[in-house]
Amino acid sequence: MKNINIKKAKVERRHKKIRAKVFGTKEKPRLSVFKSNKYIYGQLINDTKSETLLSLSSMKVKGKTFMDKCTETGKELAKLALGKKIEQVVFDRGGFKYVGRVKAFADGARAGGLKF
């Protein structure tokens, strides 16, 4: 039980450091990523007005493996963002390390047409 709290504290500490540097605007929103044990979630956030422009989770995306679902979620989110004329974003990995599922999500968003 103690090990889980240490992991959570590390994620929170990293996220605090990231959020001190990353800020999203209407022209260049923040692409925030959250991963749980089952799903991955992505949001485009305008921090000046504190509003979510759009969001998507891997619940609604098809794919065989979890990595496929992460990549497809990134691509789908990029497609929705391009539909709202958003091409550039600031990536916020949410305190998670940039490997595995978070990296697959980011690569999918880049493949979908987002620039960050």
Side-chain angles (χ1 to χ4, degrees), residues 27-38:
E27 297 80 34
K28 197 172 181 180
R30 175 169 55 101
L31 173 58
S32 177
V33 176
F34 176 76
K35 67 174 187 168
S36 67
N37 288 338
K38 285 179 122 179

mmCIF file with all atom_site columns, all heavy atoms in Angstrom, residues 27-38:
data_model
loop_
_atom_site.group_PDB
_atom_site.id
_atom_site.type_symbol
_atom_site.label_atom_id
_atom_site.label_alt_id
_atom_site.label_comp_id
_atom_site.label_asym_id
_atom_site.label_entity_id
_atom_site.label_seq_id
_atom_site.pdbx_PDB_ins_code
_atom_site.Cartn_x
_atom_site.Cartn_y
_atom_site.Cartn_z
_atom_site.occupancy
_atom_site.B_iso_or_equiv
_atom_site.pdbx_formal_charge
_atom_site.auth_seq_id
_atom_site.auth_comp_id
_atom_site.auth_asym_id
_atom_site.auth_atom_id
_atom_site.pdbx_PDB_model_num
ATOM 1   N N   . GLU A 1 27 ? -5.564  29.873 -29.320 1.00 0.00 ? 27 GLU A N   1
ATOM 2   C CA  . GLU A 1 27 ? -4.867  29.558 -30.563 1.00 0.00 ? 27 GLU A CA  1
ATOM 3   C C   . GLU A 1 27 ? -3.991  28.316 -30.422 1.00 0.00 ? 27 GLU A C   1
ATOM 4   O O   . GLU A 1 27 ? -3.810  27.560 -31.374 1.00 0.00 ? 27 GLU A O   1
ATOM 5   C CB  . GLU A 1 27 ? -3.990  30.744 -31.012 1.00 0.00 ? 27 GLU A CB  1
ATOM 6   C CG  . GLU A 1 27 ? -4.740  32.005 -31.335 1.00 0.00 ? 27 GLU A CG  1
ATOM 7   C CD  . GLU A 1 27 ? -5.131  32.794 -30.083 1.00 0.00 ? 27 GLU A CD  1
ATOM 8   O OE1 . GLU A 1 27 ? -4.371  32.776 -29.092 1.00 0.00 ? 27 GLU A OE1 1
ATOM 9   O OE2 . GLU A 1 27 ? -6.216  33.398 -30.108 1.00 0.00 ? 27 GLU A OE2 1
ATOM 10  N N   . LYS A 1 28 ? -3.410  28.148 -29.239 1.00 0.00 ? 28 LYS A N   1
ATOM 11  C CA  . LYS A 1 28 ? -2.496  27.021 -28.985 1.00 0.00 ? 28 LYS A CA  1
ATOM 12  C C   . LYS A 1 28 ? -2.877  26.373 -27.650 1.00 0.00 ? 28 LYS A C   1
ATOM 13  O O   . LYS A 1 28 ? -2.257  26.632 -26.624 1.00 0.00 ? 28 LYS A O   1
ATOM 14  C CB  . LYS A 1 28 ? -1.058  27.541 -28.961 1.00 0.00 ? 28 LYS A CB  1
ATOM 15  C CG  . LYS A 1 28 ? -0.005  26.485 -29.109 1.00 0.00 ? 28 LYS A CG  1
ATOM 16  C CD  . LYS A 1 28 ? 1.355   27.140 -29.257 1.00 0.00 ? 28 LYS A CD  1
ATOM 17  C CE  . LYS A 1 28 ? 2.418   26.102 -29.419 1.00 0.00 ? 28 LYS A CE  1
ATOM 18  N NZ  . LYS A 1 28 ? 3.739   26.687 -29.570 1.00 0.00 ? 28 LYS A NZ  1
ATOM 19  N N   . PRO A 1 29 ? -3.930  25.530 -27.649 1.00 0.00 ? 29 PRO A N   1
ATOM 20  C CA  . PRO A 1 29 ? -4.405  24.953 -26.383 1.00 0.00 ? 29 PRO A CA  1
ATOM 21  C C   . PRO A 1 29 ? -3.462  23.889 -25.833 1.00 0.00 ? 29 PRO A C   1
ATOM 22  O O   . PRO A 1 29 ? -2.573  23.389 -26.533 1.00 0.00 ? 29 PRO A O   1
ATOM 23  C CB  . PRO A 1 29 ? -5.753  24.347 -26.746 1.00 0.00 ? 29 PRO A CB  1
ATOM 24  C CG  . PRO A 1 29 ? -5.694  24.118 -28.198 1.00 0.00 ? 29 PRO A CG  1
ATOM 25  C CD  . PRO A 1 29 ? -4.764  25.132 -28.770 1.00 0.00 ? 29 PRO A CD  1
ATOM 26  N N   . ARG A 1 30 ? -3.693  23.550 -24.580 1.00 0.00 ? 30 ARG A N   1
ATOM 27  C CA  . ARG A 1 30 ? -2.893  22.527 -23.900 1.00 0.00 ? 30 ARG A CA  1
ATOM 28  C C   . ARG A 1 30 ? -3.537  21.168 -24.149 1.00 0.00 ? 30 ARG A C   1
ATOM 29  O O   . ARG A 1 30 ? -4.733  20.984 -23.921 1.00 0.00 ? 30 ARG A O   1
ATOM 30  C CB  . ARG A 1 30 ? -2.864  22.850 -22.407 1.00 0.00 ? 30 ARG A CB  1
ATOM 31  C CG  . ARG A 1 30 ? -2.173  21.831 -21.548 1.00 0.00 ? 30 ARG A CG  1
ATOM 32  C CD  . ARG A 1 30 ? -1.952  22.352 -20.151 1.00 0.00 ? 30 ARG A CD  1
ATOM 33  N NE  . ARG A 1 30 ? -3.154  22.820 -19.501 1.00 0.00 ? 30 ARG A NE  1
ATOM 34  C CZ  . ARG A 1 30 ? -3.838  22.115 -18.589 1.00 0.00 ? 30 ARG A CZ  1
ATOM 35  N NH1 . ARG A 1 30 ? -3.448  20.906 -18.241 1.00 0.00 ? 30 ARG A NH1 1
ATOM 36  N NH2 . ARG A 1 30 ? -4.907  22.621 -18.031 1.00 0.00 ? 30 ARG A NH2 1
ATOM 37  N N   . LEU A 1 31 ? -2.739  20.223 -24.656 1.00 0.00 ? 31 LEU A N   1
ATOM 38  C CA  . LEU A 1 31 ? -3.202  18.848 -24.856 1.00 0.00 ? 31 LEU A CA  1
ATOM 39  C C   . LEU A 1 31 ? -2.819  18.057 -23.616 1.00 0.00 ? 31 LEU A C   1
ATOM 40  O O   . LEU A 1 31 ? -1.673  17.680 -23.421 1.00 0.00 ? 31 LEU A O   1
ATOM 41  C CB  . LEU A 1 31 ? -2.567  18.232 -26.106 1.00 0.00 ? 31 LEU A CB  1
ATOM 42  C CG  . LEU A 1 31 ? -2.826  16.753 -26.370 1.00 0.00 ? 31 LEU A CG  1
ATOM 43  C CD1 . LEU A 1 31 ? -4.307  16.468 -26.468 1.00 0.00 ? 31 LEU A CD1 1
ATOM 44  C CD2 . LEU A 1 31 ? -2.128  16.305 -27.632 1.00 0.00 ? 31 LEU A CD2 1
ATOM 45  N N   . SER A 1 32 ? -3.807  17.849 -22.753 1.00 0.00 ? 32 SER A N   1
ATOM 46  C CA  . SER A 1 32 ? -3.587  17.172 -21.484 1.00 0.00 ? 32 SER A CA  1
ATOM 47  C C   . SER A 1 32 ? -3.899  15.687 -21.625 1.00 0.00 ? 32 SER A C   1
ATOM 48  O O   . SER A 1 32 ? -4.906  15.313 -22.213 1.00 0.00 ? 32 SER A O   1
ATOM 49  C CB  . SER A 1 32 ? -4.481  17.798 -20.415 1.00 0.00 ? 32 SER A CB  1
ATOM 50  O OG  . SER A 1 32 ? -4.332  17.125 -19.206 1.00 0.00 ? 32 SER A OG  1
ATOM 51  N N   . VAL A 1 33 ? -3.037  14.849 -21.057 1.00 0.00 ? 33 VAL A N   1
ATOM 52  C CA  . VAL A 1 33 ? -3.192  13.397 -21.133 1.00 0.00 ? 33 VAL A CA  1
ATOM 53  C C   . VAL A 1 33 ? -3.330  12.836 -19.727 1.00 0.00 ? 33 VAL A C   1
ATOM 54  O O   . VAL A 1 33 ? -2.618  13.242 -18.808 1.00 0.00 ? 33 VAL A O   1
ATOM 55  C CB  . VAL A 1 33 ? -1.967  12.753 -21.828 1.00 0.00 ? 33 VAL A CB  1
ATOM 56  C CG1 . VAL A 1 33 ? -2.078  11.254 -21.818 1.00 0.00 ? 33 VAL A CG1 1
ATOM 57  C CG2 . VAL A 1 33 ? -1.812  13.258 -23.227 1.00 0.00 ? 33 VAL A CG2 1
ATOM 58  N N   . PHE A 1 34 ? -4.276  11.909 -19.567 1.00 0.00 ? 34 PHE A N   1
ATOM 59  C CA  . PHE A 1 34 ? -4.407  11.170 -18.318 1.00 0.00 ? 34 PHE A CA  1
ATOM 60  C C   . PHE A 1 34 ? -4.554  9.701  -18.662 1.00 0.00 ? 34 PHE A C   1
ATOM 61  O O   . PHE A 1 34 ? -5.319  9.343  -19.555 1.00 0.00 ? 34 PHE A O   1
ATOM 62  C CB  . PHE A 1 34 ? -5.629  11.627 -17.514 1.00 0.00 ? 34 PHE A CB  1
ATOM 63  C CG  . PHE A 1 34 ? -5.838  10.804 -16.275 1.00 0.00 ? 34 PHE A CG  1
ATOM 64  C CD1 . PHE A 1 34 ? -5.048  10.992 -15.158 1.00 0.00 ? 34 PHE A CD1 1
ATOM 65  C CD2 . PHE A 1 34 ? -6.806  9.816  -16.234 1.00 0.00 ? 34 PHE A CD2 1
ATOM 66  C CE1 . PHE A 1 34 ? -5.224  10.220 -14.024 1.00 0.00 ? 34 PHE A CE1 1
ATOM 67  C CE2 . PHE A 1 34 ? -6.989  9.044  -15.105 1.00 0.00 ? 34 PHE A CE2 1
ATOM 68  C CZ  . PHE A 1 34 ? -6.191  9.248  -13.999 1.00 0.00 ? 34 PHE A CZ  1
ATOM 69  N N   . LYS A 1 35 ? -3.811  8.871  -17.967 1.00 0.00 ? 35 LYS A N   1
ATOM 70  C CA  . LYS A 1 35 ? -3.943  7.427  -18.204 1.00 0.00 ? 35 LYS A CA  1
ATOM 71  C C   . LYS A 1 35 ? -4.367  6.742  -16.921 1.00 0.00 ? 35 LYS A C   1
ATOM 72  O O   . LYS A 1 35 ? -3.864  7.036  -15.842 1.00 0.00 ? 35 LYS A O   1
ATOM 73  C CB  . LYS A 1 35 ? -2.658  6.834  -18.759 1.00 0.00 ? 35 LYS A CB  1
ATOM 74  C CG  . LYS A 1 35 ? -1.497  6.833  -17.810 1.00 0.00 ? 35 LYS A CG  1
ATOM 75  C CD  . LYS A 1 35 ? -0.310  6.089  -18.380 1.00 0.00 ? 35 LYS A CD  1
ATOM 76  C CE  . LYS A 1 35 ? 0.760   5.973  -17.311 1.00 0.00 ? 35 LYS A CE  1
ATOM 77  N NZ  . LYS A 1 35 ? 1.806   5.067  -17.663 1.00 0.00 ? 35 LYS A NZ  1
ATOM 78  N N   . SER A 1 36 ? -5.327  5.850  -17.060 1.00 0.00 ? 36 SER A N   1
ATOM 79  C CA  . SER A 1 36 ? -5.731  5.004  -15.945 1.00 0.00 ? 36 SER A CA  1
ATOM 80  C C   . SER A 1 36 ? -5.294  3.584  -16.282 1.00 0.00 ? 36 SER A C   1
ATOM 81  O O   . SER A 1 36 ? -4.630  3.354  -17.292 1.00 0.00 ? 36 SER A O   1
ATOM 82  C CB  . SER A 1 36 ? -7.247  5.079  -15.740 1.00 0.00 ? 36 SER A CB  1
ATOM 83  O OG  . SER A 1 36 ? -7.924  4.493  -16.821 1.00 0.00 ? 36 SER A OG  1
ATOM 84  N N   . ASN A 1 37 ? -5.681  2.642  -15.469 1.00 0.00 ? 37 ASN A N   1
ATOM 85  C CA  . ASN A 1 37 ? -5.300  1.259  -15.741 1.00 0.00 ? 37 ASN A CA  1
ATOM 86  C C   . ASN A 1 37 ? -5.984  0.716  -16.990 1.00 0.00 ? 37 ASN A C   1
ATOM 87  O O   . ASN A 1 37 ? -5.448  -0.151 -17.664 1.00 0.00 ? 37 ASN A O   1
ATOM 88  C CB  . ASN A 1 37 ? -5.628  0.372  -14.551 1.00 0.00 ? 37 ASN A CB  1
ATOM 89  C CG  . ASN A 1 37 ? -4.700  0.628  -13.384 1.00 0.00 ? 37 ASN A CG  1
ATOM 90  O OD1 . ASN A 1 37 ? -3.603  1.140  -13.578 1.00 0.00 ? 37 ASN A OD1 1
ATOM 91  N ND2 . ASN A 1 37 ? -5.131  0.297  -12.192 1.00 0.00 ? 37 ASN A ND2 1
ATOM 92  N N   . LYS A 1 38 ? -7.194  1.203  -17.299 1.00 0.00 ? 38 LYS A N   1
ATOM 93  C CA  . LYS A 1 38 ? -7.961  0.675  -18.421 1.00 0.00 ? 38 LYS A CA  1
ATOM 94  C C   . LYS A 1 38 ? -7.959  1.566  -19.658 1.00 0.00 ? 38 LYS A C   1
ATOM 95  O O   . LYS A 1 38 ? -8.008  1.071  -20.771 1.00 0.00 ? 38 LYS A O   1
ATOM 96  C CB  . LYS A 1 38 ? -9.420  0.464  -17.997 1.00 0.00 ? 38 LYS A CB  1
ATOM 97  C CG  . LYS A 1 38 ? -9.663  -0.723 -17.125 1.00 0.00 ? 38 LYS A CG  1
ATOM 98  C CD  . LYS A 1 38 ? -11.122 -0.774 -16.778 1.00 0.00 ? 38 LYS A CD  1
ATOM 99  C CE  . LYS A 1 38 ? -11.703 -2.083 -17.236 1.00 0.00 ? 38 LYS A CE  1
ATOM 100 N NZ  . LYS A 1 38 ? -13.129 -2.188 -16.906 1.00 0.00 ? 38 LYS A NZ  1
#
